[in-house]
Amino acid sequence: MKKTVLINVSFLVEVEEIEVHKDFGMIDQVTNELCQGQTIKIGTSEVSVKWESCSTVVLDPVSMNCGQCSTCGRWTTDREKNDSLLHLCNGATFEGKLLCDECLPEDHRWSF
């Protein structure tokens, strides 16, 4: 019996600010390319990957619970604060610095 699995994948793309509000600009081009029907070879089988939905969010550390890790620069969200962005990696503020799950101390509850 086959089951349908929804797999969410997030990509970060840096674009010039002018592209953020431009219809059919770089963001639309990237989205259209990523959302095309694909076939992926896994072992000896081919799996058809069909587009279901797509969304874009302009990350804004001033108004959103997100920022770049103080150590490695990876985008993260502070899971100990409200309004975490679940599509970003887990992180937390430790000793006054936002750190991703890879850079948090090993004994921290959000450490990977």
Side-chain angles (χ1 to χ4, degrees):
M1 171 189 274
K2 289 188 177 186
K3 295 283 186 181
T4 301
V5 178
L6 175 63
I7 300 172
N8 288 313
V9 179
S10 299
F11 294 91
L12 292 173
V13 179
E14 287 189 16
V15 297
E16 294 296 330
E17 188 170 350
I18 194 168
E19 288 289 331
V20 171
H21 305 291
K22 189 176 177 183
D23 286 339
F24 304 109
M26 184 180 193
I27 293 172
D28 289 335
Q29 291 175 35
V30 169
T31 302
N32 288 337
E33 188 66 31
L34 292 173
C35 294
Q36 296 298 322
Q38 308 261 345
T39 302
I40 299 172
K41 188 170 183 173
I42 300 175
T44 58
S45 302
E46 286 195 354
V47 177
S48 179
V49 179
K50 296 177 183 163
W51 176 83
E52 181 61 30
S53 68
C54 184
S55 64
T56 57
V57 175
V58 179
L59 298 178
D60 181 10
V62 174
S63 64
M64 302 165 82
N65 178 355
C66 67
Q68 291 181 273
C69 174
S70 295
T71 301
C72 71
R74 182 177 177 200
W75 280 91
T76 189
T77 189
D78 189 334
R79 292 300 303 260
E80 297 180 337
K81 293 183 179 175
N82 294 330
D83 301 323
S84 298
L85 298 179
L86 301 180
H87 289 359
L88 291 177
C89 74
N90 293 332
T93 300
F94 181 77
E95 295 181 348
K97 295 180 181 179
L98 179 61
L99 300 175
C100 70
D101 56 3
E102 298 269 338
C103 295
L104 283 166
E106 286 183 22
D107 60 343
H108 193 282
R109 73 180 188 148
W110 292 109
S111 177
F112 182 68

